[in-house]
Amino acid sequence: MTFTTKSILVALFLFFGQVNGQPKKPVKPVKPAPAPVAAPVAAPVSSVAYAQVSSTKNQTNAAIGTGAALTCDSIDALSGIGFTSGGTQFTINTAGAYFLIAAIQVGFGGGCASTVTSYTADYWVAVNGVAVSNSNVRLVAPSTSTDVIVTQGVYIFNKGDKVTIVGSGKCSISVVINPGGSEPLIPSIIATLYKID
C-alpha cells in the first residue's frame, strides 16, 4: 500500500483532532479583563473667603484710651465671611490665616473749637472685643488737613471670631469726602479682609 504525504497528514489530523472519539473543541480566545474605571472625584469644597466693606457716613472717634468700633453701611464684595450692612464686625466662618487692611479717611472734628490747630487719630484691630497687639496706628495732622491712615496685617482667626476696626482720637473723625464731578465718593473707611491660607 502506498501512502502519499497528503494521506498521512489527513490521518494525523483525524487522530489528534479527536478525544475519546469526540471532535476536539476549539479553544476560545481569552478576552482581556476590562480596564478599571476610576471612581468619580468629588469637586473640592471652595475655601474662598473675602469681604470688602465701606462707609458713607462721618464717624466721630471715641476718646483716646477707649475706642469705638467703626461701622460700614456698604458691602462692596462678600463671600464666605459674615457682615451685616450698618454693622461693625466681620464674622469668620472658616478658620485660617487672613490678610486685613483698613484705610480710614481722617479729618478734624468731634466738636472741637476752631482754634484747635491739630488732631490725633488712632486705629487698631480687635478680635472678640480684645485689641490685637501691634495693630495700632496713629495720625497727628493739622486741623486744616485730611489724610488717610492704614492699619493692616496677617491674622490667624478661629471660626466664629468677630473682627472689628476700632478708632479713638482727639478732635478727629473718619470723614466722607465728596470730590464732585465724575469722581466717586471717598468713604470714611474701606476695609478688606480675605483668607490666604
Side-chain angles (χ1 to χ4, degrees), residues 42-137:
V45 177
S46 174
S47 60
V48 173
Y50 58 83
Q52 179 169 303
V53 297
S54 54
S55 177
T56 61
K57 298 178 180 179
N58 294 342
Q59 302 182 60
T60 301
N61 288 325
I64 290 179
T66 57
L70 274 67
T71 63
C72 291
D73 58 355
S74 177
I75 297 177
D76 307 317
L78 190 67
S79 177
I81 296 173
F83 197 91
T84 302
S85 178
T88 61
Q89 60 188 19
F90 299 101
T91 300
I92 303 301
N93 294 327
T94 304
Y98 287 75
F99 180 76
L100 170 63
I101 181 169
I104 303 99
Q105 182 77 36
V106 191
F108 178 78
C112 289
S114 59
T115 54
V116 176
T117 58
S118 67
Y119 62 85
T120 302
D122 296 345
Y123 297 96
W124 64 92
V125 177
V127 179
N128 301 324
V130 179
V132 177
S133 300
N134 305 317
S135 67
N136 200 3
V137 292

